[in-house]
Amino acid sequence: MFMPIVTVRVPSDSFDDEGRRAIVGDLTAAVADAEQIPTDPEIQGQVVILWEEINAPHVHVNGVEVAAFGVPVFVDVQPPAGALEQDRMDAFAEAVDRSFRERPPVDGRPVFTSLIVNDVADGRWGIDGRVQHLADFARSAGYRHLRHLVS
């Protein structure tokens, strides 16, 4: 079962392979911590990170190409609704930003992070032809804070 899905959009060639791998590792760990997924690598292997490189000149703020003054990083997370509590969301936002700041772009420009969390409503996520519910995710991912849903 693949969830949550984290999509990262960064300008092309902003991060080298080593930096990208480290950030993906950080984000995987941050998601697991935020959603209270046990440290079992088999379970954490369900966290999907989609790393998309975009054409930087196509990103504008107030009509100005962002590339002129920094590296925009856009992170969209789609967890099952109810899996991410507010205090965990706050910590996750800080972890995402910290990861990119600790591994600066290859050209040293400043990073600007934007994080959007789109909770997927219960019963609105299908995997392998079967609609999933929060209890299914709690069972599969072992969410510590949602154990009551699977007992």
Side-chain angles (χ1 to χ4, degrees):
M1 183 176 296
F2 297 117
M3 54 52 142
I5 296 172
V6 180
T7 303
V8 178
R9 290 179 188 86
V10 299
S12 299
D13 303 319
S14 293
F15 298 91
D16 59 21
D17 287 342
E18 182 181 331
R20 178 186 46 79
R21 281 192 296 272
I23 292 167
V24 167
D26 289 348
L27 296 180
T28 300
V31 167
D33 183 58
E35 291 192 352
Q36 301 183 52
I37 298 172
T39 57
D40 179 340
E42 193 169 304
I43 293 174
Q44 287 190 4
Q46 298 176 25
V47 176
V48 177
I49 308 286
L50 302 173
W51 184 278
E52 296 180 0
E53 296 199 354
I54 58 175
N55 189 343
H58 293 188
V59 180
H60 297 81
V61 173
N62 293 330
V64 176
E65 291 180 6
V66 175
F69 56 88
V71 176
V73 173
F74 303 97
V75 180
D76 297 311
V77 182
Q78 295 178 307
L84 189 57
E85 297 167 337
Q86 187 60 52
D87 61 333
R88 299 283 181 173
M89 170 59 199
D90 295 341
F92 179 67
E94 290 172 14
V96 167
D97 186 69
R98 183 174 49 255
S99 179
F100 282 95
R101 293 192 190 281
E102 288 176 352
R103 292 167 182 82
V106 293
D107 63 7
R109 285 180 296 154
V111 171
F112 303 97
T113 61
S114 175
L115 170 66
I116 297 175
V117 176
N118 293 301
D119 292 329
V120 179
D122 194 45
R124 295 292 189 198
W125 196 317
I127 297 175
D128 294 334
R130 185 172 166 266
V131 172
Q132 303 294 307
H133 297 277
L134 187 57
D136 299 317
F137 290 114
R139 185 176 303 105
S140 173
Y143 296 142
R144 290 186 300 274
H145 64 303
L146 297 176
R147 288 185 183 149
H148 64 282
L149 296 177
V150 295
S151 52

